[in-house]
């Protein structure tokens, strides 16, 4: 089970990072790759790179070396994502939504004919065999907030879903701006949910038992 981690946890003492470390401690280090968006903030499209993207991915043109070079950092994100079976995105909520660096990562990886395409007039995501886990923390609590206040979760669902990645689990510790005891409780519940999600991933990745193999043989 290869897991790609995309993290944006810039704050010293980040609670989101604490949840991520809890998840990582249960993974095989040899099967984990990491994109750290706080260590190296992703590029955003400028005139040169968006023109190159459209020329290459929409018009099918071969780029010259300089134009290709401009897209190379974005292409490396795509390669890392596609090489994994699962992805964990760890981020705090900023201004009711994704921090800009995380949106820039999505803008980089949602590439026509690399993570999605159009087939018979329909959009088709290419990462349908992946599963994703979104880990986030927020100062406020949004469970009973009016619709639209939490823009983070719906956006992540939409963006991953567009790439075909609709198997998304969301684990949040909300209310980190609250009293210490309630923060501790939210963090502890989030850790327990992470354990459940990762146990599910491991169960799916495990080789079939002899009984299951027999059943497959009978059916097949
Ligand atoms: C720039 C910035 C913007 C934030 N915006 C929001 C917000 O819109 N809603 C909210 O509930 N919390 C907001 N917060 C609080 C963080 O989401 C919260 O403290 C979170 O737990 C921080 O995660 P970290 O400990 O991993 O840094 C904001 C924090 C920062 C630094």
């Amino acid at each position: 089970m290869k897991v790609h981690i995309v993290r944006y946890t810039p704050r010293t003492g980040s609670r989101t990072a604490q949840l991520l470390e809890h998840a990582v401690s249960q993974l095989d280090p040899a099967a984990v790759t990491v994109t750290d968006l706080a260590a190296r903030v992703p590029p955003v499209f400028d005139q040169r790179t968006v023109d190159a993207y459209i020329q290459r991915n929409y018009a099918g043109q071969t780029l010259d070396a300089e134009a290709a070079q401009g897209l190379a950092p974005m292409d490396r994100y795509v390669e890392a994502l596609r090489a994994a079976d699962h992805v964990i995105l760890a981020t705090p909520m900023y201004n009711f939504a994704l921090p800009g660096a995380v949106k820039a990562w999505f803008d980089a990886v949602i590439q026509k004919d690399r993570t999605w395409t159009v087939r018979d007039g329909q959009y088709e995501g290419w990462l349908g065999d992946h599963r994703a886990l979104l880990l986030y923390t927020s100062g406020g609590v949004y469970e009973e907030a009016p619709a639209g206040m939490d823009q983070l979760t719906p956006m992540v669902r939409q963006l991953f879903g567009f790439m075909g990645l609709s198997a998304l689990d969301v684990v949040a510790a909300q209310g980190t701006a609250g009293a210490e005891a309630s923060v501790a409780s939210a963090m502890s519940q989030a850790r327990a949910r992470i354990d459940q999600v990762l146990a599910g991933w491991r169960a799916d990745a495990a080789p079939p038992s002899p009984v299951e193999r027999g059943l497959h043989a009978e059916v097949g």
Side-chain angles (χ1 to χ4, degrees), residues 12 25 30 36 39 48 50 69 97 101 116 160 200-201 204 220:
T12 304
S25 68
D36 187 339
R48 184 174 63 105
V50 80
Q69 189 60 29
W116 66 275
F160 272 137
W201 285 11
D204 283 356

Side-chain angles (χ1 to χ4, degrees), residues 132-211:
L133 169 60
L134 165 64
L135 297 180
Y136 79 92
T137 67
S138 59
V141 176
Y142 296 86
E143 274 136 21
E144 291 174 19
M149 270 190 78
D150 168 12
Q151 305 267 328
L152 189 157
T153 318
M155 181 174 274
V156 169
R157 202 172 282 289
Q158 171 71 23
L159 297 175
F160 272 137
F162 190 66
M163 295 186 282
L165 215 166
S166 50
L168 173 70
D169 286 295
V170 180
V171 176
Q174 298 191 346
T176 59
E180 208 173 299
S182 63
V183 177
S185 163
M187 291 291 284
S188 154
Q189 285 177 39
R191 286 192 187 93
R193 271 289 295 141
I194 289 167
D195 295 348
Q196 284 175 352
V197 171
L198 295 185
W201 285 11
R202 279 191 296 272
D204 283 356
S209 68
V211 173

Side-chain angles (χ1 to χ4, degrees), residues 108-122:
V109 295
I110 300 179
Q111 289 199 31
K112 183 175 184 297
D113 292 343
R114 299 211 167 190
T115 51
W116 66 275
T117 195
V118 181
R119 189 185 300 278
D120 300 330
Q122 304 284 325

